[in-house]
Amino acid sequence: QVQLVESGGGLVQPGGSLRLSCGASGSGFTFNAMGWYRQTSGDQRELVASITKGGTIGYGDSVKGRFTISRDNAKTTIYLQMNSLQPEDTAVYYCIVAANSPNLDWDEYWGQGTQVTVSS
């Protein structure tokens, strides 16, 4: 019942910037946390950034100081501002939300991913 819509990926040169967006919807669900993970070819997904319902923010070590996560007032849309991009940032970026309905325990829902490629 939870739907995630991602946008903003693409091709950018080293040193450039991109902004990713993710909107979540689901009638009767509470969105407890949202964030971004990324996966390089053949690798496990790793944390990029996250934000909880209470506003606690976390970043992966490799993106601290370069990426910024934010959200709208309704707490249903998140953004990832990506600055000073490097070739090592090339990956598929996935939006994730931790959500629950009144009669269910919380679960994680994943977007379909958006490709970010950093290359000259």
Side-chain angles (χ1 to χ4, degrees), residues 13-59:
Q13 293 183 335
S17 298
L18 287 173
R19 189 179 73 154
L20 307 182
S21 300
C22 176
S25 61
S27 180
F29 281 81
T30 298
F31 302 108
N32 298 302
M34 299 182 70
W36 298 91
Y37 283 73
R38 68 185 182 186
Q39 184 176 21
T40 57
S41 181
D43 291 337
Q44 292 288 106
R45 291 171 179 171
E46 62 179 359
L47 173 69
V48 177
S50 63
I51 183 167
T52 70
K53 182 173 64 177
T56 300
I57 293 174
Y59 293 100

Side-chain angles (χ1 to χ4, degrees), residues 103-120:
N103 61 334
L104 295 174
D105 293 332
W106 70 267
D107 200 0
E108 294 182 346
Y109 300 85
W110 293 77
Q112 296 190 91
T114 184
Q115 177 71 47
V116 172
T117 302
V118 184
S119 176
S120 60

Side-chain angles (χ1 to χ4, degrees), residues 2-20:
V2 174
Q3 181 180 357
L4 302 177
V5 180
E6 301 182 40
S7 64
L11 175 65
V12 66
Q13 293 183 335
S17 298
L18 287 173
R19 189 179 73 154
L20 307 182

Side-chain angles (χ1 to χ4, degrees), residues 70-118:
S70 61
R71 65 185 178 189
D72 67 346
N73 291 335
K75 302 179 181 180
T76 55
T77 302
I78 60 170
Y79 307 90
L80 185 68
Q81 180 65 46
M82 310 164 67
N83 298 326
S84 301
L85 284 163
Q86 305 169 15
E88 293 76 22
D89 296 314
T90 296
V92 178
Y93 285 71
Y94 294 90
C95 180
I96 183 170
V97 59
N100 70 278
S101 61
N103 61 334
L104 295 174
D105 293 332
W106 70 267
D107 200 0
E108 294 182 346
Y109 300 85
W110 293 77
Q112 296 190 91
T114 184
Q115 177 71 47
V116 172
T117 302
V118 184

